[in-house]
Amino acid sequence: MTDTAPPTGTAPPTDPAPSTGLSLILGEMARQRGDALGSLADPQVQARARDLAHAARDSGRLLLLGMGASHFVNRMAEPEYRRLGLDATAMPLSEALYTPLPPGPRAALIASQSGASGEVGRYLQTPAQDERRFGLTLDPHSPLAQALPCLIGPGGAERGFAATRSLVLSVALHAAVLEALGQESGSVRAALESPDTLDLTPALDTLRSADTLVFVGRAELTGLAEVCALHAAELARVPALGFEGGQFRHGPIELLRPGLGVVLLRTGGPSADLTDTLARQCVEAGLRPVVLDCAGGEAVPGTVWLALAPGRGLAAVLNAVFPLQRLLLDFASDRVRQVGKPRHARKVTLER
Ligand SMILES: O=P(O)(O)OC[C@H]1O[C@](O)(CO)[C@@H](O)[C@@H]1O
């Protein structure tokens, strides 16, 4: 499978053969970079991003809500909003329904690629009070887009089961908001334009025999670790856990043993050394962790060390997400006959 950077623009998927779950996902991935670049250049997205940025700056507070991958993308962006001085909190939309934060002046961004998850409709029925609400979606006709001013990514709702294009587009839409708040977005554009040519064979060989997967990240890569675990569960149907690095040390490190597949996402800043220490502990425990290094470090012996272009923030997320998508799809294709065809879940979950 290859992943190159198309220039820009959206083209609807053309499927001459009947769609399978996998072909739908691959169709989404084929246009995710172009659509993401298109959304960053879209004047309507930029205007809406400015509105949201003003609302967040006015109150100093930003609440990020979503389900599944949409929540995990919010988790990737949350530290970036904090770095810009906002009191930003990402929480599952379902949690906000049943145990909401106290009312207070704030901006809220409800992210839902379909704009139609059951929790979205219920949240829209709750009184906004001092909350200035915005949406982030791919479907301009969705209940979310009809109810709130929205950042709308191009290309329509995602048809593939796992969040691939929607995840990349949601990252880009957050990057537009961060740009409106003053953060440069050149590195995000560069990440979207860089072809992903990393050889994943050694990583796949290491993970292939794993009975359980653990993904560990820190800072902006925490949400990425969490979404990788979601993808491993929904596509490969293996038990998979995603952790913030400190949380993994507080107990779950007891899981380390041969047969466990460990993927460490190494970001820059003070936590980089902690990731190296954890990698050494994995090796001592008799397993070979895969390390995606987004911070330009030196390989820890005994690991599968995958060096990516160094970056921070959402650029680091994007540098890592493309190889991780390929890794997880290949891993799942080894184990599941009809990858991307759910047995129990649905693409749009309406139940509460
Ligand atoms: O973003 P939405 O449409 O609210 O859906 C939530 C989640 O449900 C899924 O569609 C299926 O689990 C994910 O891809 C998505 O992250």
Side-chain angles (χ1 to χ4, degrees):
M1 194 184 309
T2 57
D3 180 25
T4 52
T8 54
T10 287
T14 49
D15 284 330
S19 300
T20 63
L22 184 58
S23 73
L24 287 176
I25 291 172
L26 293 175
E28 305 285 0
M29 287 169 62
R31 61 197 183 122
Q32 60 188 355
R33 291 166 181 263
D35 282 358
L37 286 164
S39 68
L40 280 173
D42 180 344
Q44 286 185 333
V45 167
Q46 291 167 354
R48 196 62 85 208
R50 282 194 296 273
D51 294 343
L52 172 55
H54 283 140
R57 281 283 185 227
D58 280 352
S59 60
R61 301 188 62 216
L62 177 61
L63 176 61
L64 304 167
L65 300 170
M67 297 303 298
S70 293
H71 167 60
F72 294 134
V73 177
N74 286 343
R75 294 268 284 146
M76 298 169 202
E78 180 186 23
E80 297 311 296
Y81 291 115
R82 289 188 190 150
R83 279 180 186 138
L84 291 172
L86 290 174
D87 178 357
T89 303
M91 65 193 287
L93 191 45
S94 49
E95 190 179 337
L97 279 174
Y98 299 109
T99 52
L101 295 176
R106 63 179 165 244
L109 180 65
I110 300 159
S112 170
Q113 70 82 22
S114 66
S117 282
E119 293 84 357
V120 171
R122 294 219 47 226
Y123 194 79
L124 291 173
Q125 286 166 19
T126 63
Q129 302 187 74
D130 284 343
E131 190 172 87
R132 287 183 63 190
R133 293 177 175 172
F134 294 81
L136 183 160
T137 186
L138 304 192
D139 186 348
H141 309 294
S142 63
L144 179 61
Q146 300 300 311
L148 295 181
C150 278
L151 294 142
I152 300 181
E158 186 172 58
R159 295 166 68 211
F161 175 50
T164 52
R165 181 174 64 96
S166 70
L167 189 152
V168 172
L169 270 171
S170 301
V171 170
L173 293 171
H174 274 294
V177 182
L178 289 164
E179 185 174 42
L181 286 162
Q183 192 181 79
E184 65 82 29
S185 61
S187 54
V188 166
R189 285 188 178 80
L192 287 168
E193 284 165 348
S194 307
D196 160 30
T197 53
L198 201 62
D199 178 11
L200 297 173
T201 314
L204 256 181
D205 288 347
T206 300
L207 297 177
R208 194 164 273 133
S209 55
D211 54 41
T212 306
L213 295 183
V214 165
F215 298 85
V216 183
R218 298 249 182 187
E220 66 272 26
L221 300 185
T222 300
L224 187 57
E226 291 167 335
V227 87
C228 284
L230 166 64
H231 287 337
E234 67 188 353
L235 294 175
R237 298 173 192 155
V238 295
L241 300 162
F243 289 99
E244 188 277 332
Q247 285 285 81
F248 182 68
R249 291 198 159 277
H250 282 255
I253 198 166
E254 280 300 308
L255 291 169
L256 293 185
R257 56 158 171 77
L260 182 74
V262 175
V263 179
L264 306 179
L265 309 180
R266 184 178 188 273
T267 188
S271 70
D273 288 347
L274 298 173
T275 305
D276 295 347
T277 307
L278 180 55
R280 281 187 209 100
Q281 280 185 278
C282 290
V283 174
E284 283 162 19
L287 60 93
R288 193 166 184 223
V290 174
V291 183
L292 263 81
D293 177 22
C294 302
E298 211 167 289
V300 172
T303 66
V304 175
W305 190 271
L306 301 176
L308 301 170
R312 288 306 306 266
L314 296 185
V317 167
L318 290 169
N319 286 333
V321 80
F322 299 118
L324 282 168
Q325 285 177 340
R326 285 194 291 129
L327 184 70
L328 287 166
L329 267 187
D330 288 349
F331 177 81
S333 298
D334 273 357
R335 294 180 175 238
V336 172
R337 274 192 57 192
Q338 294 182 301
V339 174
K341 182 175 180 198
R343 294 178 302 187
H344 309 293
R346 298 171 62 174
K347 180 60 186 166
V348 180
T349 304
L350 299 175
E351 301 84 11
R352 303 197 294 264

